[in-house]
Amino acid sequence: MRAINTVWTILAASLCFACDDPEPRRDAKVAAPETSALVDACMIDDDAVACGGLESLTSAGVDSRCGTHPTKDQVEAMELDFSARRAAAARIGFVPRVIPTYFHVITDSVGNGKVAPERIEQQLEILNAAFVPAGITFSLAGVDVTANDSWYAMNYGTTAETEAKSALRQGGAGTLNIYTAGLGGGLLGWATFPWEYSWAPEVDGVVILDESLPGGASAPYDLGDTAVHEVGHWAGLYHTFQGGCGGDLDDGGDRVADTPAEAQPAFGCPEDVDSCPMPGKDPIHNFMDYGDDACLDHFTHGQVARMEYQLTVYRDEV
């Protein structure tokens, strides 16, 4: 009996890992402009991959692919909480799920940022095609349009982001809210992770640059895969390069066994890159890497399993 009580004490402590810091997102690592590092690597080191990445970002008019960059401490907190919840669950069963999805189109006061209905429909089709292997489909629950200059230029972790989401967000933990806007900080998008909902439900969701939707002006990021990438975060996935070559399943990696280790994000579509000594070439075609939209085409079986667990543990609404 003492052993059982000890186990549950450990589980309870792990489940309240974030209790000591109810707002860990305040210390979130905001993505630094990737163009700066790519300029050095391209011009000084004559790195072809860096040059391709610089060309892609410059062409799209952005400085960074994604603003979702948890710190090592945040990853540790998430994984401890996730492991404890999985262990405490009596049984986890996976069934196909339909996720109600709201699009919140934010424009400025003169109408910049308007998104035609057919582009939203196309984006939903892109999401469904990408997530069907995970047994996930997205059903359009509503679209609203709001004109607000401050919200239109929102950046990650700002008051504008919190105000916009607090005013517009619909549904509970299992409802996907996608916000489109002009964005500040030169970002294509960012997202919250599933575990964040328990202490910050008002900011839950995905934010994407309006021109990253299909048919937008942010080529080569104009085929809708920015939303796929960010929804991957919303469903519990890290970047494939999380932790770099030093990351593994237990310490700093993406916690997925079938995504090869990757030293840094891949830009463009650099075939046959192998940046780490561990087995496997860099997963440049994975939705959770940084390639051009045309280069990205799949999640792995391990990523699908992780999303199923994360959604069941954190986003099932009872």
Side-chain angles (χ1 to χ4, degrees), residues 94-140:
F94 304 129
V95 295
R97 67 180 65 229
V98 178
I99 295 178
T101 303
Y102 289 87
F103 278 83
H104 307 287
V105 178
I106 301 173
T107 74
D108 66 11
S109 55
V110 297
N112 291 314
K114 287 183 178 178
V115 178
E118 57 266 26
R119 290 180 63 202
I120 292 176
E121 293 172 4
Q122 291 168 358
Q123 181 64 80
L124 202 66
E125 291 174 0
I126 295 294
L127 283 170
N128 282 325
F131 284 88
V132 159
I136 301 168
T137 55
F138 302 89
S139 175
L140 186 62

